[in-house]
Amino acid sequence: MKEEVQMKIKILSEEKLETLSTKENLGIVEKYVKDNATNDWLKDIFKVDEPFTLSKVDMEDFEMDMSAERPEDTDFENAKRVFEALKYLPESTACDTRLWAGLTFGKFYSYMQYRYNLSNNSKYFKNKWLFQGQSRKSDLFRQGVSMLWWYAYLTYDDSLENPYELTEFCFEHKDFLISVYSRTFSGSKNVRLALIQALRDFERDGGNIEKKEIYNGIVKFVSFLGGAYLIDTFSREEIYEKTYEELIRLEDSLNQTKPNRFTLS
């Protein structure tokens, strides 16, 4: 049995992260990343021997999976690895961009070169290597390393025999989870997992959740449910049943080309 090795995560200070992210430096830093297989250039740009700061956050030492010809095919496996190593990370700490920037430019620099190589797509730099989105919440859900933890955190379900069943489903439908994450109801674990499980089961039963009318309709329905009722008073099973029934109604309505109307019972 492999012995677990704990390590303290090295972070990038707010000041250093801002230096990398300024408009004046973006092009320079992007070129450093594109041209260098190792992160030694950080010492030059910051003019220090140690660009990272040792944090108090413990993590099991591990390596990312970089075995697939298509790097994106490793996302689900690596999400499990990151979450298992940081399963008990408080949400407040997981919102700290310094943590993820430290892992991106430090421990997982080689992984980031593999997964988001700038020679393949220069658009990766702002949103995958750094945090350049419209909001902190959106950034964390899109950035290369933080995304792995957040996907697993929001979908991990220890009530299932395989607690990563819903995680795998969501990695197959990334746009949907991003849409759900932006909604107020996503803060409720019961609601979030019931919705994802209903979608997963509906697809397994032959339903097509890729149709935008169903995709958008079910998110609107759950939002409506939350506005009409104290949704947290429903059990997960009740939310699941209502959501699954609505998915069937949406598909039937679409097939009959009738307008959608919410029905609650």
Side-chain angles (χ1 to χ4, degrees):
M1 185 175 181
K2 185 178 178 181
E3 183 181 353
E4 293 184 1
V5 179
Q6 295 291 318
M7 57 173 281
K8 296 287 186 185
I9 293 179
K10 292 182 178 181
I11 65 172
L12 269 183
S13 69
E14 193 72 39
E15 181 183 5
K16 287 186 173 65
L17 182 53
E18 287 179 4
T19 297
L20 296 179
S21 306
T22 61
K23 290 182 179 180
E24 296 78 12
N25 290 338
L26 276 178
I28 298 170
V29 176
E30 182 177 349
K31 189 174 188 309
Y32 271 120
V33 171
K34 188 174 181 178
D35 294 346
N36 291 273
T38 69
N39 65 356
D40 291 341
W41 57 270
L42 287 168
K43 297 177 182 178
D44 297 328
I45 202 171
F46 293 126
K47 296 179 173 58
V48 293
D49 292 331
E50 176 52 76
F52 300 99
T53 302
L54 200 63
S55 75
K56 295 181 180 180
V57 181
D58 289 312
M59 180 180 78
E60 178 188 339
D61 193 13
F62 72 98
E63 298 300 327
M64 294 284 204
D65 177 12
M66 295 186 281
S67 63
E69 184 175 346
R70 285 171 20 107
E72 58 268 33
D73 290 341
T74 65
D75 286 351
F76 171 54
E77 172 60 31
N78 284 326
K80 290 192 293 181
R81 294 186 185 191
V82 172
F83 190 66
E84 285 296 320
L86 290 167
K87 187 178 291 184
Y88 302 107
L89 191 68
E91 193 170 315
S92 58
T93 305
C95 288
D96 193 333
T97 54
R98 297 175 304 166
L99 175 80
W100 304 115
L103 289 170
T104 295
F105 288 93
K107 169 72 174 170
F108 298 132
Y109 185 84
S110 294
Y111 162 75
M112 288 295 291
Q113 290 283 5
Y114 161 78
R115 177 63 178 89
Y116 299 106
N117 192 287
L118 300 185
S119 297
N120 298 330
N121 189 339
S122 61
K123 293 181 180 179
Y124 283 149
F125 183 61
K126 288 184 179 181
N127 294 325
K128 298 302 183 182
W129 284 80
L130 295 173
F131 299 88
Q132 295 278 311
Q134 297 180 344
S135 69
R136 175 68 63 88
K137 191 174 184 180
S138 173
D139 280 348
L140 290 166
F141 216 56
R142 295 179 186 276
Q143 198 270 345
V145 179
S146 63
M147 175 269 290
L148 298 171
W149 188 89
W150 279 98
Y151 264 68
Y153 173 72
L154 291 172
T155 57
Y156 183 85
D157 185 358
D158 57 10
S159 71
L160 300 176
E161 183 176 351
N162 173 9
Y164 290 104
E165 269 187 43
L166 303 183
T167 309
E168 184 172 20
F169 170 79
C170 285
F171 269 105
E172 295 168 356
H173 303 281
K174 288 183 182 178
D175 289 342
F176 180 78
L177 189 56
I178 291 172
S179 176
V180 168
Y181 185 53
S182 67
R183 306 288 175 146
T184 303
F185 65 73
S186 70
S188 168
K189 183 177 179 179
N190 265 356
V191 176
R192 184 174 69 244
L193 295 183
L195 170 59
I196 296 170
Q197 188 169 5
L199 281 160
R200 192 275 311 273
D201 292 350
F202 181 71
E203 185 179 58
R204 281 185 176 179
D205 294 340
N208 185 354
I209 66 171
E210 297 296 337
K211 293 179 181 178
K212 67 178 182 179
E213 294 87 353
I214 293 177
Y215 176 92
N216 294 329
I218 197 59
V219 173
K220 289 179 181 178
F221 172 76
V222 177
S223 294
F224 170 77
L225 197 64
Y229 298 94
L230 294 174
I231 198 167
D232 285 335
T233 63
F234 290 138
S235 68
R236 176 172 167 179
E237 290 72 23
E238 288 174 318
I239 299 168
Y240 171 89
E241 289 172 4
K242 290 181 180 296
T243 303
Y244 193 93
E245 287 170 3
E246 180 63 14
L247 284 165
I248 294 173
R249 194 197 66 78
L250 283 166
E251 186 167 63
D252 288 345
S253 178
L254 184 62
N255 291 337
Q256 297 168 18
T257 65
K258 291 181 179 180
N260 294 336
R261 291 188 178 88
F262 296 142
T263 57
L264 297 175
S265 57

